Amino acid sequence: MLWEALGAARDLGRVHDIAAVLIRYGFGDLVQRLGMAHALERAGKALHWHGQAQLLHLDPAQRVRQALEALGPTFVKLGQILATRADLFPPEWIAEFGMLQDAAPAVPFEAIRAQLAEDLGEAPEAVFAELDTTPLAAASLAQVHRARLADGSPVVLKIRRPGIRPVIEADLRLLARLAEIMEAEAPDLRRYRPREVVREFAHSLRRELDFSAEGRNAERIAASFADHPEIVVPRIHWQWTGERLNVQDFVEGLPGRAVADLPAGFDRRLLARRGADAVLKMMLEDGFFHADPHQGNVFYLPGNRLAFIDFGMVGRLPETRRYQVAALMHGLVDRDSRRVTDVLLDWSGEAEGDGEALRAEIERFVDEYHGVALKQLDFGAMLGDVVTILREHGLALPPDLALMIKAFITLEGLGRQLDPDFDIAAEAAPFLRTVLLAHHAPDAIARRGWRGLLGAVDLLAGLPRDLGRLLRTARRGSLRVEVDVPPLKAFGDQLDRAASRLTMGIVTAALIVGSSIALTVHRGDSVSLFGLLGFVAAVIGGLWVLLSVWRGGR
């Protein structure tokens, strides 16, 4: 299992650390089921199995959250990604994952000076008229310093922590291997889709490590708001921005966390509307949105303007997805359960078990919103109901939609902090209507029809070639049909285990008979010694058979 998966001995130390933390927080059974204990024992690394009981009084979700915090920045980031997957975890787990903070002790400036000079191409003092060596903020991947350019413009420097990438890559490598083993060896954990979650997480985290990608994201969103002076996105200074360094304008404003301290000149209701319109425009009009619009990434500026920062995590919604979101909302209003079911299945795939049970559940869900006008829908409660239905039927959302739902809920909470009467449904209604009208516009219908026609022509044109390849493969005898029957494989594994137990039982019985004969022959002490050794081996073999049967019964 894990031992075979470990391609390099350099991973063993980190595997030992992970196993030790899991044991400390009461997940020793998972360490054994994943084969981590066996792998470490073979490598000569001992695990301490004491001290597990002191944390068992906590809820499992609390223990998982604390374990992620103890495992370091990669796993904290993983927990933050899991906080967006309400379709996989119940609300109490999402709440715990949402408590994970990405804060970390600051790195002394002298420890990052050499890397900063390398990224700038010269000494920092030659580029900046002023540079504050005390960071404004420090997180697990980077820390932020304030500076001033030679022309007096205030900027901030987002500097990646030295040596963080090798640590992240090692953790991602281990997470990928552990996810494969979890799906293979722990059937009850497959419903959490560990391989899919780790793959999504690795892609997201590697993008966050590239600060130039964050700069491109910011520029793309800034371009879409070029005609909206009320929305501010900091300008990127590309002459100094790269993979490990991002230099951008400093935002002079009141942070979103200080909403209670807004001066009297600010219009809270207008700020809530403008913030909602901005994020909804990104989602439903542009299809490229800030995936984490929480309080720390929003600033309130004079003139009732808003600034968005930190575009390391973004989401993408293609035109088809945007139409499906609008179709879902109108399916609810029109009490069209078939339409809602079709959209949800398009999002998440086929349901496990009885499809009629899913349809009946959706009909009950749709009936709750019967007669409710679109502008009166409670989006937060509705989206929560959607993901609950998906989770109960073993379905999961694609990552882009999971990010969208998380951003929607975050946006609604931010709006209501500014304005208790804030109604995100009323704000979203014009955008949803625009999406539906655009989808059914004559030019859009003609464009989809033309694409479909071209696809059909390409398919027909390639059909003779594909048939020729199929016939040539059949003539060479290379044609294969693969049939995967998981229950048959499980049955074969059971037969293998039964045959092993039967063989060991026969050998044990033979040892007992042989040893008994040897003990009855009086030809010296050596014969008696062989008889005793045979009985000892028989006892060990019998105990192994009993233990194997007992564990198999569990």
Side-chain angles (χ1 to χ4, degrees), residues 376-408:
Q376 295 176 340
L377 285 175
D378 184 344
F379 270 28
M382 185 197 67
L383 293 174
D385 290 343
V386 167
V387 296
T388 298
I389 291 172
L390 293 176
R391 186 174 62 247
E392 290 176 349
H393 288 270
L395 300 173
L397 289 171
D400 55 355
L401 287 166
L403 281 176
M404 185 206 72
I405 289 177
K406 178 70 163 64
F408 250 120

PDB file of all heavy atoms in Angstrom, residues 376-408:
ATOM      1  N   GLN A 376     -37.722  37.473  -4.403  1.00  0.00           N
ATOM      2  CA  GLN A 376     -37.956  37.173  -2.989  1.00  0.00           C
ATOM      3  C   GLN A 376     -37.297  35.872  -2.537  1.00  0.00           C
ATOM      4  O   GLN A 376     -37.442  35.477  -1.383  1.00  0.00           O
ATOM      5  CB  GLN A 376     -39.467  37.100  -2.716  1.00  0.00           C
ATOM      6  CG  GLN A 376     -40.183  38.423  -2.926  1.00  0.00           C
ATOM      7  CD  GLN A 376     -41.686  38.284  -2.745  1.00  0.00           C
ATOM      8  OE1 GLN A 376     -42.237  37.193  -2.823  1.00  0.00           O
ATOM      9  NE2 GLN A 376     -42.353  39.405  -2.496  1.00  0.00           N
ATOM     10  N   LEU A 377     -36.592  35.207  -3.421  1.00  0.00           N
ATOM     11  CA  LEU A 377     -35.941  33.949  -3.050  1.00  0.00           C
ATOM     12  C   LEU A 377     -34.827  34.203  -2.044  1.00  0.00           C
ATOM     13  O   LEU A 377     -34.061  35.158  -2.171  1.00  0.00           O
ATOM     14  CB  LEU A 377     -35.366  33.259  -4.285  1.00  0.00           C
ATOM     15  CG  LEU A 377     -36.353  32.567  -5.221  1.00  0.00           C
ATOM     16  CD1 LEU A 377     -35.620  32.054  -6.451  1.00  0.00           C
ATOM     17  CD2 LEU A 377     -37.049  31.417  -4.512  1.00  0.00           C
ATOM     18  N   ASP A 378     -34.742  33.350  -1.058  1.00  0.00           N
ATOM     19  CA  ASP A 378     -33.635  33.388  -0.096  1.00  0.00           C
ATOM     20  C   ASP A 378     -32.508  32.529  -0.669  1.00  0.00           C
ATOM     21  O   ASP A 378     -32.492  31.308  -0.508  1.00  0.00           O
ATOM     22  CB  ASP A 378     -34.112  32.843   1.257  1.00  0.00           C
ATOM     23  CG  ASP A 378     -33.045  32.955   2.329  1.00  0.00           C
ATOM     24  OD1 ASP A 378     -31.865  33.152   1.976  1.00  0.00           O
ATOM     25  OD2 ASP A 378     -33.387  32.832   3.519  1.00  0.00           O
ATOM     26  N   PHE A 379     -31.570  33.171  -1.356  1.00  0.00           N
ATOM     27  CA  PHE A 379     -30.539  32.428  -2.054  1.00  0.00           C
ATOM     28  C   PHE A 379     -29.703  31.573  -1.101  1.00  0.00           C
ATOM     29  O   PHE A 379     -29.349  30.445  -1.413  1.00  0.00           O
ATOM     30  CB  PHE A 379     -29.615  33.407  -2.800  1.00  0.00           C
ATOM     31  CG  PHE A 379     -30.077  33.706  -4.192  1.00  0.00           C
ATOM     32  CD1 PHE A 379     -31.419  33.649  -4.520  1.00  0.00           C
ATOM     33  CD2 PHE A 379     -29.169  34.059  -5.170  1.00  0.00           C
ATOM     34  CE1 PHE A 379     -31.854  33.938  -5.800  1.00  0.00           C
ATOM     35  CE2 PHE A 379     -29.584  34.353  -6.452  1.00  0.00           C
ATOM     36  CZ  PHE A 379     -30.929  34.298  -6.770  1.00  0.00           C
ATOM     37  N   GLY A 380     -29.361  32.126   0.050  1.00  0.00           N
ATOM     38  CA  GLY A 380     -28.524  31.377   0.981  1.00  0.00           C
ATOM     39  C   GLY A 380     -29.181  30.071   1.410  1.00  0.00           C
ATOM     40  O   GLY A 380     -28.577  29.002   1.354  1.00  0.00           O
ATOM     41  N   ALA A 381     -30.451  30.161   1.846  1.00  0.00           N
ATOM     42  CA  ALA A 381     -31.162  28.957   2.274  1.00  0.00           C
ATOM     43  C   ALA A 381     -31.378  28.001   1.108  1.00  0.00           C
ATOM     44  O   ALA A 381     -31.256  26.782   1.254  1.00  0.00           O
ATOM     45  CB  ALA A 381     -32.503  29.347   2.895  1.00  0.00           C
ATOM     46  N   MET A 382     -31.690  28.557  -0.069  1.00  0.00           N
ATOM     47  CA  MET A 382     -31.956  27.711  -1.228  1.00  0.00           C
ATOM     48  C   MET A 382     -30.711  26.930  -1.642  1.00  0.00           C
ATOM     49  O   MET A 382     -30.754  25.720  -1.883  1.00  0.00           O
ATOM     50  CB  MET A 382     -32.438  28.561  -2.392  1.00  0.00           C
ATOM     51  CG  MET A 382     -32.843  27.759  -3.605  1.00  0.00           C
ATOM     52  SD  MET A 382     -32.915  28.793  -5.055  1.00  0.00           S
ATOM     53  CE  MET A 382     -31.184  29.204  -5.236  1.00  0.00           C
ATOM     54  N   LEU A 383     -29.579  27.611  -1.733  1.00  0.00           N
ATOM     55  CA  LEU A 383     -28.343  26.927  -2.119  1.00  0.00           C
ATOM     56  C   LEU A 383     -27.931  25.906  -1.053  1.00  0.00           C
ATOM     57  O   LEU A 383     -27.398  24.848  -1.376  1.00  0.00           O
ATOM     58  CB  LEU A 383     -27.235  27.954  -2.342  1.00  0.00           C
ATOM     59  CG  LEU A 383     -27.438  28.875  -3.551  1.00  0.00           C
ATOM     60  CD1 LEU A 383     -26.366  29.949  -3.597  1.00  0.00           C
ATOM     61  CD2 LEU A 383     -27.442  28.081  -4.840  1.00  0.00           C
ATOM     62  N   GLY A 384     -28.198  26.235   0.208  1.00  0.00           N
ATOM     63  CA  GLY A 384     -27.924  25.254   1.266  1.00  0.00           C
ATOM     64  C   GLY A 384     -28.769  24.003   1.101  1.00  0.00           C
ATOM     65  O   GLY A 384     -28.279  22.881   1.279  1.00  0.00           O
ATOM     66  N   ASP A 385     -30.045  24.172   0.727  1.00  0.00           N
ATOM     67  CA  ASP A 385     -30.915  23.019   0.487  1.00  0.00           C
ATOM     68  C   ASP A 385     -30.427  22.193  -0.704  1.00  0.00           C
ATOM     69  O   ASP A 385     -30.466  20.954  -0.681  1.00  0.00           O
ATOM     70  CB  ASP A 385     -32.355  23.489   0.232  1.00  0.00           C
ATOM     71  CG  ASP A 385     -33.015  24.040   1.479  1.00  0.00           C
ATOM     72  OD1 ASP A 385     -32.500  23.763   2.575  1.00  0.00           O
ATOM     73  OD2 ASP A 385     -34.027  24.748   1.353  1.00  0.00           O
ATOM     74  N   VAL A 386     -29.958  22.881  -1.756  1.00  0.00           N
ATOM     75  CA  VAL A 386     -29.475  22.177  -2.944  1.00  0.00           C
ATOM     76  C   VAL A 386     -28.299  21.273  -2.599  1.00  0.00           C
ATOM     77  O   VAL A 386     -28.271  20.093  -2.948  1.00  0.00           O
ATOM     78  CB  VAL A 386     -29.086  23.179  -4.053  1.00  0.00           C
ATOM     79  CG1 VAL A 386     -28.305  22.489  -5.156  1.00  0.00           C
ATOM     80  CG2 VAL A 386     -30.329  23.832  -4.634  1.00  0.00           C
ATOM     81  N   VAL A 387     -27.312  21.822  -1.898  1.00  0.00           N
ATOM     82  CA  VAL A 387     -26.124  21.016  -1.608  1.00  0.00           C
ATOM     83  C   VAL A 387     -26.444  19.903  -0.608  1.00  0.00           C
ATOM     84  O   VAL A 387     -25.823  18.836  -0.638  1.00  0.00           O
ATOM     85  CB  VAL A 387     -24.969  21.903  -1.091  1.00  0.00           C
ATOM     86  CG1 VAL A 387     -24.519  22.875  -2.163  1.00  0.00           C
ATOM     87  CG2 VAL A 387     -25.351  22.652   0.173  1.00  0.00           C
ATOM     88  N   THR A 388     -27.436  20.126   0.269  1.00  0.00           N
ATOM     89  CA  THR A 388     -27.833  19.060   1.194  1.00  0.00           C
ATOM     90  C   THR A 388     -28.436  17.882   0.428  1.00  0.00           C
ATOM     91  O   THR A 388     -28.120  16.715   0.694  1.00  0.00           O
ATOM     92  CB  THR A 388     -28.849  19.599   2.216  1.00  0.00           C
ATOM     93  OG1 THR A 388     -28.233  20.630   2.985  1.00  0.00           O
ATOM     94  CG2 THR A 388     -29.313  18.488   3.145  1.00  0.00           C
ATOM     95  N   ILE A 389     -29.296  18.183  -0.554  1.00  0.00           N
ATOM     96  CA  ILE A 389     -29.892  17.121  -1.381  1.00  0.00           C
ATOM     97  C   ILE A 389     -28.798  16.359  -2.127  1.00  0.00           C
ATOM     98  O   ILE A 389     -28.789  15.119  -2.174  1.00  0.00           O
ATOM     99  CB  ILE A 389     -30.910  17.717  -2.363  1.00  0.00           C
ATOM    100  CG1 ILE A 389     -32.140  18.229  -1.605  1.00  0.00           C
ATOM    101  CG2 ILE A 389     -31.336  16.680  -3.404  1.00  0.00           C
ATOM    102  CD1 ILE A 389     -33.114  18.999  -2.469  1.00  0.00           C
ATOM    103  N   LEU A 390     -27.869  17.088  -2.710  1.00  0.00           N
ATOM    104  CA  LEU A 390     -26.787  16.431  -3.455  1.00  0.00           C
ATOM    105  C   LEU A 390     -25.974  15.534  -2.529  1.00  0.00           C
ATOM    106  O   LEU A 390     -25.625  14.405  -2.885  1.00  0.00           O
ATOM    107  CB  LEU A 390     -25.887  17.491  -4.098  1.00  0.00           C
ATOM    108  CG  LEU A 390     -26.514  18.333  -5.205  1.00  0.00           C
ATOM    109  CD1 LEU A 390     -25.538  19.407  -5.673  1.00  0.00           C
ATOM    110  CD2 LEU A 390     -26.923  17.459  -6.381  1.00  0.00           C
ATOM    111  N   ARG A 391     -25.653  16.032  -1.352  1.00  0.00           N
ATOM    112  CA  ARG A 391     -24.825  15.256  -0.420  1.00  0.00           C
ATOM    113  C   ARG A 391     -25.549  13.990   0.029  1.00  0.00           C
ATOM    114  O   ARG A 391     -24.950  12.920   0.117  1.00  0.00           O
ATOM    115  CB  ARG A 391     -24.471  16.135   0.789  1.00  0.00           C
ATOM    116  CG  ARG A 391     -23.492  15.476   1.753  1.00  0.00           C
ATOM    117  CD  ARG A 391     -23.061  16.436   2.849  1.00  0.00           C
ATOM    118  NE  ARG A 391     -24.179  16.867   3.677  1.00  0.00           N
ATOM    119  CZ  ARG A 391     -24.651  18.099   3.711  1.00  0.00           C
ATOM    120  NH1 ARG A 391     -24.137  19.034   2.948  1.00  0.00           N
ATOM    121  NH2 ARG A 391     -25.667  18.412   4.497  1.00  0.00           N
ATOM    122  N   GLU A 392     -26.851  14.096   0.306  1.00  0.00           N
ATOM    123  CA  GLU A 392     -27.597  12.928   0.784  1.00  0.00           C
ATOM    124  C   GLU A 392     -27.734  11.855  -0.287  1.00  0.00           C
ATOM    125  O   GLU A 392     -27.949  10.685   0.036  1.00  0.00           O
ATOM    126  CB  GLU A 392     -28.977  13.374   1.272  1.00  0.00           C
ATOM    127  CG  GLU A 392     -28.933  14.185   2.568  1.00  0.00           C
ATOM    128  CD  GLU A 392     -30.305  14.687   2.979  1.00  0.00           C
ATOM    129  OE1 GLU A 392     -31.239  14.580   2.141  1.00  0.00           O
ATOM    130  OE2 GLU A 392     -30.441  15.196   4.110  1.00  0.00           O
ATOM    131  N   HIS A 393     -27.625  12.228  -1.558  1.00  0.00           N
ATOM    132  CA  HIS A 393     -27.756  11.260  -2.650  1.00  0.00           C
ATOM    133  C   HIS A 393     -26.411  10.901  -3.273  1.00  0.00           C
ATOM    134  O   HIS A 393     -26.362  10.375  -4.385  1.00  0.00           O
ATOM    135  CB  HIS A 393     -28.719  11.790  -3.710  1.00  0.00           C
ATOM    136  CG  HIS A 393     -30.153  11.789  -3.264  1.00  0.00           C
ATOM    137  ND1 HIS A 393     -31.004  10.716  -3.462  1.00  0.00           N
ATOM    138  CD2 HIS A 393     -30.879  12.714  -2.586  1.00  0.00           C
ATOM    139  CE1 HIS A 393     -32.187  10.995  -2.953  1.00  0.00           C
ATOM    140  NE2 HIS A 393     -32.144  12.199  -2.420  1.00  0.00           N
ATOM    141  N   GLY A 394     -25.330  11.196  -2.550  1.00  0.00           N
ATOM    142  CA  GLY A 394     -24.016  10.815  -3.028  1.00  0.00           C
ATOM    143  C   GLY A 394     -23.539  11.568  -4.237  1.00  0.00           C
ATOM    144  O   GLY A 394     -22.704  11.068  -4.995  1.00  0.00           O
ATOM    145  N   LEU A 395     -24.045  12.781  -4.449  1.00  0.00           N
ATOM    146  CA  LEU A 395     -23.651  13.592  -5.595  1.00  0.00           C
ATOM    147  C   LEU A 395     -22.735  14.712  -5.132  1.00  0.00           C
ATOM    148  O   LEU A 395     -22.774  15.129  -3.976  1.00  0.00           O
ATOM    149  CB  LEU A 395     -24.885  14.177  -6.283  1.00  0.00           C
ATOM    150  CG  LEU A 395     -25.903  13.172  -6.816  1.00  0.00           C
ATOM    151  CD1 LEU A 395     -27.140  13.898  -7.310  1.00  0.00           C
ATOM    152  CD2 LEU A 395     -25.308  12.327  -7.919  1.00  0.00           C
ATOM    153  N   ALA A 396     -21.908  15.196  -6.046  1.00  0.00           N
ATOM    154  CA  ALA A 396     -20.995  16.295  -5.723  1.00  0.00           C
ATOM    155  C   ALA A 396     -20.984  17.298  -6.860  1.00  0.00           C
ATOM    156  O   ALA A 396     -21.172  16.949  -8.025  1.00  0.00           O
ATOM    157  CB  ALA A 396     -19.584  15.764  -5.477  1.00  0.00           C
ATOM    158  N   LEU A 397     -20.757  18.558  -6.495  1.00  0.00           N
ATOM    159  CA  LEU A 397     -20.710  19.625  -7.491  1.00  0.00           C
ATOM    160  C   LEU A 397     -19.337  19.701  -8.141  1.00  0.00           C
ATOM    161  O   LEU A 397     -18.328  19.381  -7.504  1.00  0.00           O
ATOM    162  CB  LEU A 397     -21.006  20.968  -6.819  1.00  0.00           C
ATOM    163  CG  LEU A 397     -22.433  21.224  -6.352  1.00  0.00           C
ATOM    164  CD1 LEU A 397     -22.475  22.502  -5.531  1.00  0.00           C
ATOM    165  CD2 LEU A 397     -23.375  21.336  -7.541  1.00  0.00           C
ATOM    166  N   PRO A 398     -19.270  20.156  -9.388  1.00  0.00           N
ATOM    167  CA  PRO A 398     -17.969  20.476  -9.979  1.00  0.00           C
ATOM    168  C   PRO A 398     -17.308  21.608  -9.181  1.00  0.00           C
ATOM    169  O   PRO A 398     -18.002  22.425  -8.553  1.00  0.00           O
ATOM    170  CB  PRO A 398     -18.314  20.928 -11.401  1.00  0.00           C
ATOM    171  CG  PRO A 398     -19.684  20.394 -11.662  1.00  0.00           C
ATOM    172  CD  PRO A 398     -20.370  20.362 -10.332  1.00  0.00           C
ATOM    173  N   PRO A 399     -15.979  21.692  -9.194  1.00  0.00           N
ATOM    174  CA  PRO A 399     -15.292  22.698  -8.378  1.00  0.00           C
ATOM    175  C   PRO A 399     -15.728  24.134  -8.676  1.00  0.00           C
ATOM    176  O   PRO A 399     -15.823  24.948  -7.756  1.00  0.00           O
ATOM    177  CB  PRO A 399     -13.818  22.482  -8.733  1.00  0.00           C
ATOM    178  CG  PRO A 399     -13.728  21.058  -9.161  1.00  0.00           C
ATOM    179  CD  PRO A 399     -15.025  20.763  -9.831  1.00  0.00           C
ATOM    180  N   ASP A 400     -15.990  24.468  -9.951  1.00  0.00           N
ATOM    181  CA  ASP A 400     -16.348  25.852 -10.263  1.00  0.00           C
ATOM    182  C   ASP A 400     -17.666  26.246  -9.608  1.00  0.00           C
ATOM    183  O   ASP A 400     -17.810  27.370  -9.104  1.00  0.00           O
ATOM    184  CB  ASP A 400     -16.390  26.079 -11.779  1.00  0.00           C
ATOM    185  CG  ASP A 400     -17.324  25.101 -12.491  1.00  0.00           C
ATOM    186  OD1 ASP A 400     -17.861  24.199 -11.830  1.00  0.00           O
ATOM    187  OD2 ASP A 400     -17.510  25.239 -13.718  1.00  0.00           O
ATOM    188  N   LEU A 401     -18.618  25.313  -9.571  1.00  0.00           N
ATOM    189  CA  LEU A 401     -19.905  25.628  -8.943  1.00  0.00           C
ATOM    190  C   LEU A 401     -19.799  25.650  -7.426  1.00  0.00           C
ATOM    191  O   LEU A 401     -20.502  26.420  -6.760  1.00  0.00           O
ATOM    192  CB  LEU A 401     -20.951  24.616  -9.396  1.00  0.00           C
ATOM    193  CG  LEU A 401     -21.399  24.805 -10.850  1.00  0.00           C
ATOM    194  CD1 LEU A 401     -22.163  23.587 -11.341  1.00  0.00           C
ATOM    195  CD2 LEU A 401     -22.249  26.047 -10.990  1.00  0.00           C
ATOM    196  N   ALA A 402     -18.939  24.801  -6.862  1.00  0.00           N
ATOM    197  CA  ALA A 402     -18.728  24.847  -5.415  1.00  0.00           C
ATOM    198  C   ALA A 402     -18.148  26.198  -5.011  1.00  0.00           C
ATOM    199  O   ALA A 402     -18.560  26.794  -4.004  1.00  0.00           O
ATOM    200  CB  ALA A 402     -17.792  23.707  -4.991  1.00  0.00           C
ATOM    201  N   LEU A 403     -17.205  26.715  -5.796  1.00  0.00           N
ATOM    202  CA  LEU A 403     -16.650  28.042  -5.520  1.00  0.00           C
ATOM    203  C   LEU A 403     -17.713  29.122  -5.670  1.00  0.00           C
ATOM    204  O   LEU A 403     -17.773  30.067  -4.879  1.00  0.00           O
ATOM    205  CB  LEU A 403     -15.486  28.327  -6.469  1.00  0.00           C
ATOM    206  CG  LEU A 403     -14.140  27.697  -6.140  1.00  0.00           C
ATOM    207  CD1 LEU A 403     -13.132  27.995  -7.242  1.00  0.00           C
ATOM    208  CD2 LEU A 403     -13.609  28.186  -4.804  1.00  0.00           C
ATOM    209  N   MET A 404     -18.566  28.989  -6.687  1.00  0.00           N
ATOM    210  CA  MET A 404     -19.603  29.986  -6.906  1.00  0.00           C
ATOM    211  C   MET A 404     -20.569  30.039  -5.724  1.00  0.00           C
ATOM    212  O   MET A 404     -20.934  31.135  -5.245  1.00  0.00           O
ATOM    213  CB  MET A 404     -20.374  29.669  -8.187  1.00  0.00           C
ATOM    214  CG  MET A 404     -21.408  30.714  -8.560  1.00  0.00           C
ATOM    215  SD  MET A 404     -22.774  30.063  -9.563  1.00  0.00           S
ATOM    216  CE  MET A 404     -23.681  29.101  -8.346  1.00  0.00           C
ATOM    217  N   ILE A 405     -20.987  28.874  -5.247  1.00  0.00           N
ATOM    218  CA  ILE A 405     -21.930  28.844  -4.126  1.00  0.00           C
ATOM    219  C   ILE A 405     -21.295  29.434  -2.880  1.00  0.00           C
ATOM    220  O   ILE A 405     -21.914  30.210  -2.138  1.00  0.00           O
ATOM    221  CB  ILE A 405     -22.407  27.397  -3.890  1.00  0.00           C
ATOM    222  CG1 ILE A 405     -23.332  26.969  -5.043  1.00  0.00           C
ATOM    223  CG2 ILE A 405     -23.130  27.270  -2.560  1.00  0.00           C
ATOM    224  CD1 ILE A 405     -23.798  25.537  -4.962  1.00  0.00           C
ATOM    225  N   LYS A 406     -20.015  29.090  -2.628  1.00  0.00           N
ATOM    226  CA  LYS A 406     -19.326  29.664  -1.472  1.00  0.00           C
ATOM    227  C   LYS A 406     -19.235  31.185  -1.601  1.00  0.00           C
ATOM    228  O   LYS A 406     -19.474  31.920  -0.624  1.00  0.00           O
ATOM    229  CB  LYS A 406     -17.920  29.064  -1.378  1.00  0.00           C
ATOM    230  CG  LYS A 406     -17.068  29.607  -0.232  1.00  0.00           C
ATOM    231  CD  LYS A 406     -17.619  29.110   1.094  1.00  0.00           C
ATOM    232  CE  LYS A 406     -16.599  29.267   2.226  1.00  0.00           C
ATOM    233  NZ  LYS A 406     -16.248  30.654   2.537  1.00  0.00           N
ATOM    234  N   ALA A 407     -18.909  31.682  -2.792  1.00  0.00           N
ATOM    235  CA  ALA A 407     -18.817  33.130  -2.990  1.00  0.00           C
ATOM    236  C   ALA A 407     -20.182  33.796  -2.821  1.00  0.00           C
ATOM    237  O   ALA A 407     -20.284  34.891  -2.247  1.00  0.00           O
ATOM    238  CB  ALA A 407     -18.236  33.432  -4.370  1.00  0.00           C
ATOM    239  N   PHE A 408     -21.248  33.142  -3.309  1.00  0.00           N
ATOM    240  CA  PHE A 408     -22.602  33.673  -3.147  1.00  0.00           C
ATOM    241  C   PHE A 408     -22.940  33.851  -1.659  1.00  0.00           C
ATOM    242  O   PHE A 408     -23.443  34.903  -1.233  1.00  0.00           O
ATOM    243  CB  PHE A 408     -23.600  32.708  -3.778  1.00  0.00           C
ATOM    244  CG  PHE A 408     -24.241  33.217  -5.030  1.00  0.00           C
ATOM    245  CD1 PHE A 408     -24.112  32.540  -6.225  1.00  0.00           C
ATOM    246  CD2 PHE A 408     -25.002  34.383  -5.018  1.00  0.00           C
ATOM    247  CE1 PHE A 408     -24.707  33.013  -7.391  1.00  0.00           C
ATOM    248  CE2 PHE A 408     -25.598  34.855  -6.170  1.00  0.00           C
ATOM    249  CZ  PHE A 408     -25.437  34.161  -7.362  1.00  0.00           C
TER     250      PHE A 408
END
